[in-house]
Amino acid sequence: MGEAAFQDRLLRIVVAEHDRLCRQRVKSLLATEREIDIVAECTRAGEIIDALRAHQPDVLLLEPRMLEGNPFDLLAPLPPESLPLLILTTAQDQYALKAFETKAFDYILKPFNPRRFHVAIERARADVARFQEDSLTLRQINLIRHVKSIPEERLIIKSGGRVLFLEFDEVDWIEAAANYVTVHAGSQVYRLREPIGRVEKLVAPHNFSRIHRSVIVSVAKIKELYPCNSGEYMVRLKNGKELACSRSYNSAIRSLLHCRTESDRGR
């Protein structure tokens, strides 16, 4: 099935907006778009989580200033792979920075420009379609491994209509992004529609460590680990890339680096 076929499926959207007039404006703009299904409307922050769990939408259109709570605090504990594409709808430029910090897919400023709104929705549609087309199901991956007798020494990725078999020692780090992960291997970046928890179990036996809820790193590619002002640590890779190590994962990464140091001394 090609991408065009996926483009024709309904794009499932949750609208989270406390202001009635703004919510009606969002709905009227969505009514002009093709193949849209508004699966839920939320007026309070606490309703968002229930809507995501009940409907598993493709897109969350979110006004950050929700009633009865901070939506970012509510979304933060959720696994990145369980989140839909997040598009912020706000009248304040300051939330553009928040969009970057939360890895939001896009943001649209109020008052809404219909053209800008349309572009954001079509970008989201294309992103959802691309990853549905490029992603192998678990059954397909297992079938490939069974027929071709491919060992678990390589990461299987579908990209651009091709199936790539990536050696684990080629991978530098892996990051969760919305409902997929990005695999960084040298100058190449691949996207894989798998939850980061499942990817972690796959790569852990190959000297990888999870240093953040959304980051897995190849221990062999780490150059140094150093503290930062917040009391947490930063990891610098041999290629110069710096990655934050959250406090809950500090002990795990220090333990792995200690084991590696002891191993090097014994050689």
Side-chain angles (χ1 to χ4, degrees):
M1 186 180 295
E3 182 172 314
F6 282 114
Q7 291 274 14
D8 292 334
R9 70 182 284 276
L10 291 177
L11 189 68
R12 296 165 54 80
I13 296 179
V14 167
V15 177
E17 168 65 67
H18 69 276
D19 184 86
R20 181 179 60 84
L21 293 179
C22 287
R23 191 166 63 254
Q24 289 177 345
R25 176 59 173 160
V26 170
K27 291 167 61 179
S28 68
L29 288 170
L30 289 174
T32 67
E33 300 290 335
R34 61 186 178 90
E35 304 295 337
I36 293 292
D37 183 14
I38 301 175
V39 296
E41 298 176 36
C42 304
T43 60
R44 291 172 171 77
E47 298 172 349
I48 296 174
I49 302 301
D50 291 338
L52 298 187
R53 289 172 176 166
H55 301 286
Q56 298 182 334
D58 301 309
V59 176
L60 170 61
L61 287 173
L62 173 67
E63 160 59 63
R65 297 176 300 168
M66 293 291 289
L67 299 175
E68 300 179 2
N70 184 331
F72 296 114
D73 291 342
L74 294 175
L75 294 173
L78 298 181
E81 64 271 11
S82 72
L83 296 175
L85 298 179
L86 176 62
I87 299 179
L88 300 187
T89 58
T90 176
Q92 300 187 21
D93 288 334
Q94 69 192 60
Y95 284 107
L97 177 59
K98 193 65 176 178
F100 175 78
E101 292 175 348
T102 58
K103 297 188 173 131
F105 180 75
D106 205 343
Y107 70 95
I108 311 173
L109 289 176
K110 300 175 182 178
F112 298 124
N113 177 291
R115 176 59 185 168
R116 175 69 182 88
F117 191 95
H118 170 74
V119 168
I121 294 299
E122 284 302 298
R123 283 187 63 235
R125 188 191 306 280
D127 194 83
V128 170
R130 181 167 59 253
F131 291 114
Q132 286 174 326
E133 169 66 11
D134 286 346
S135 299
L136 289 172
T137 66
L138 184 58
R139 175 181 293 182
Q140 289 172 308
I141 290 175
N142 288 337
L143 179 62
I144 289 174
R145 286 174 178 154
H146 175 72
V147 175
K148 299 297 185 180
S149 299
I150 298 173
E152 293 284 352
E153 295 300 322
R154 288 185 281 181
L155 196 59
I156 301 176
I157 299 175
K158 187 175 180 182
S159 175
R162 299 177 300 160
V163 178
L164 305 177
F165 303 105
L166 196 63
E167 301 288 345
F168 284 108
D169 60 8
E170 296 180 63
V171 178
D172 299 317
W173 57 290
I174 301 168
E175 181 179 24
N179 50 0
Y180 55 90
V181 298
T182 55
V183 179
H184 299 260
S187 61
Q188 301 299 313
V189 178
Y190 306 98
R191 289 185 279 196
L192 179 64
R193 197 178 182 89
E194 290 282 358
I196 193 169
R198 185 179 299 165
V199 174
E200 179 186 14
K201 291 179 181 178
L202 177 64
V203 303
H206 303 278
N207 205 25
F208 282 79
S209 177
R210 192 166 179 176
I211 62 171
H212 189 277
R213 66 189 296 266
S214 61
V215 177
I216 301 170
V217 65
S218 170
V219 176
K221 302 298 179 70
I222 296 176
K223 181 177 182 179
E224 63 178 310
L225 174 71
Y226 61 92
C228 55
N229 293 334
S230 64
E232 298 183 345
Y233 283 81
M234 294 291 294
V235 165
R236 180 178 289 122
L237 304 185
K238 294 177 181 179
N239 63 7
K241 175 66 180 180
E242 294 187 337
L243 301 167
C245 175
S246 68
R247 190 168 300 163
S248 57
Y249 292 95
N250 283 348
S251 59
I253 191 64
R254 285 201 304 268
S255 175
L256 280 171
L257 289 176
H258 175 73
C259 290
R260 182 170 179 82
T261 300
E262 292 299 319
S263 175
D264 291 342
R265 287 174 181 173
R267 292 177 182 174

